[in-house]
Amino acid sequence: SFPMEFVGRSRELAGLNALWRDAELGRTRVAVITGPSGIGKTRLAEELLANAAGKEIRSVSLKGTQGEMKLRWGAASDFIRQLLRLPGSAGISSASDSLLRAMLPSLGKGAIHLKAVNGVSPAAVLDATTDLLEAITFEVPLVVLVDDFQWMDRDSRTLIIGLANRCRELRALFLILGRSDLSSRHWEEVEGALVSDAGARRFLLNPLIEEEVGELLALGAAFPERRENPSTSHGKGIPI
């Protein structure tokens, strides 16, 4: 296989790079990348991370799944688990550490009281996670990549939006990816909350223009031709 170069989306990538430069300077930025399934949302976000690979950077990634939409704190638990494993996380208060670890039995200390965990205040989780983000981004910037945000459970979505809204002066960039081809107003409402509450910049991905398609075809034409293995040419792939 051949590594595929990134083609097109130069305007969107330039916009994301500008947000990343702001985040490096301590101004939290939020980008909402939206478009139908398969349009290249994840590829665009990965290209931004690849461009920043030569710098000191920390990143976490999580993905919503339709099957876990009713699992309270499902995506948030994965998010918090990744954050607690990053350098700098030890700098949070003992109260924040205890609360967050109580949500994660695999990382908990001592006995876990399920009644206390199930009744945890979303505001308390937001405060503790804010403490955690402040500690992690104190010296090194952080990129939070969230794919299929529309499939996340409500508590996790609320936490992410709350963090993006509250943490305005951190060295952090939130990349929120979501689908615009769903037959409901669900994503429109989620996207609206990100833009209005968290000040997100919206990037709507449309199909590549003719010039970009031509560039992609030219790139494919530059690949060396695949030569057939003579030992398998008459045996349907079975060496003869």
Side-chain angles (χ1 to χ4, degrees):
S1 62
F2 301 97
M4 181 64 73
E5 294 183 20
F6 188 73
V7 175
R9 311 297 185 200
S10 57
R11 182 177 60 180
E12 292 87 351
L13 187 57
L16 290 174
N17 280 323
L19 294 181
W20 169 242
R21 289 192 293 271
D22 284 345
E24 286 185 299
L25 297 175
R27 297 188 289 268
T28 304
R29 291 293 181 261
V30 184
V32 178
I33 305 175
T34 183
S37 177
I39 199 69
K41 300 181 296 294
T42 304
R43 182 70 179 86
L44 177 61
E46 290 175 345
E47 184 66 15
L48 175 68
L49 289 173
N51 290 346
K55 304 176 182 179
E56 189 174 11
I57 179 179
R58 292 169 184 157
S59 65
V60 296
S61 62
L62 51 156
K63 182 179 178 67
T65 58
Q66 192 171 10
E68 295 187 358
M69 283 190 71
K70 295 184 179 180
L71 181 62
R72 289 197 65 193
W73 303 110
S77 297
D78 181 32
F79 179 45
I80 292 169
R81 179 182 290 105
Q82 293 185 58
L83 291 178
L84 285 171
R85 290 172 173 168
L86 290 178
S89 61
I92 64 175
S93 70
S94 59
S96 294
D97 186 72
S98 296
L99 185 149
L100 295 176
R101 290 180 184 275
M103 297 176 65
L104 302 164
S106 61
L107 300 181
K109 298 178 180 178
I112 302 298
H113 302 287
L114 293 180
K115 183 177 180 180
V117 174
N118 291 334
V120 67
S121 164
V125 177
L126 174 59
D127 185 71
T129 311
T130 299
D131 187 14
L132 182 56
L133 280 180
E134 289 174 347
I136 290 171
T137 61
F138 183 72
E139 294 183 343
V140 178
L142 172 73
V143 176
V144 179
L145 172 57
V146 186
D147 204 351
D148 279 333
F149 190 69
Q150 77 281 346
W151 295 137
M152 284 190 174
D153 61 279
R154 183 178 297 274
D155 294 292
S156 298
R157 293 200 313 267
T158 300
L159 176 64
I160 297 294
I161 295 173
L163 288 170
N165 182 43
R166 177 179 289 194
C167 304
R168 293 297 180 96
E169 297 183 355
L170 297 184
R171 303 173 72 184
L173 172 63
F174 290 82
L175 300 175
I176 312 295
L177 283 56
R179 288 174 54 182
S180 61
D181 59 335
L182 302 176
S183 57
S184 72
R185 297 183 57 188
H186 177 66
W187 171 245
E188 292 181 6
E189 295 173 354
V190 171
E191 185 182 46
L194 285 163
V195 173
S196 61
D197 296 346
R201 180 175 172 184
R202 182 172 180 263
F203 295 84
L204 174 61
L205 299 193
N206 294 306
L208 296 177
I209 63 175
E210 183 177 353
E211 181 180 350
E212 293 169 333
V213 172
E215 184 181 353
L216 182 61
L217 292 175
L219 180 65
F223 286 165
E225 293 183 5
R226 180 181 177 183
R227 295 186 178 181
E228 190 176 32
N229 186 341
S231 65
T232 62
S233 59
H234 300 290
K236 296 183 179 180
I238 303 174
I240 57 177

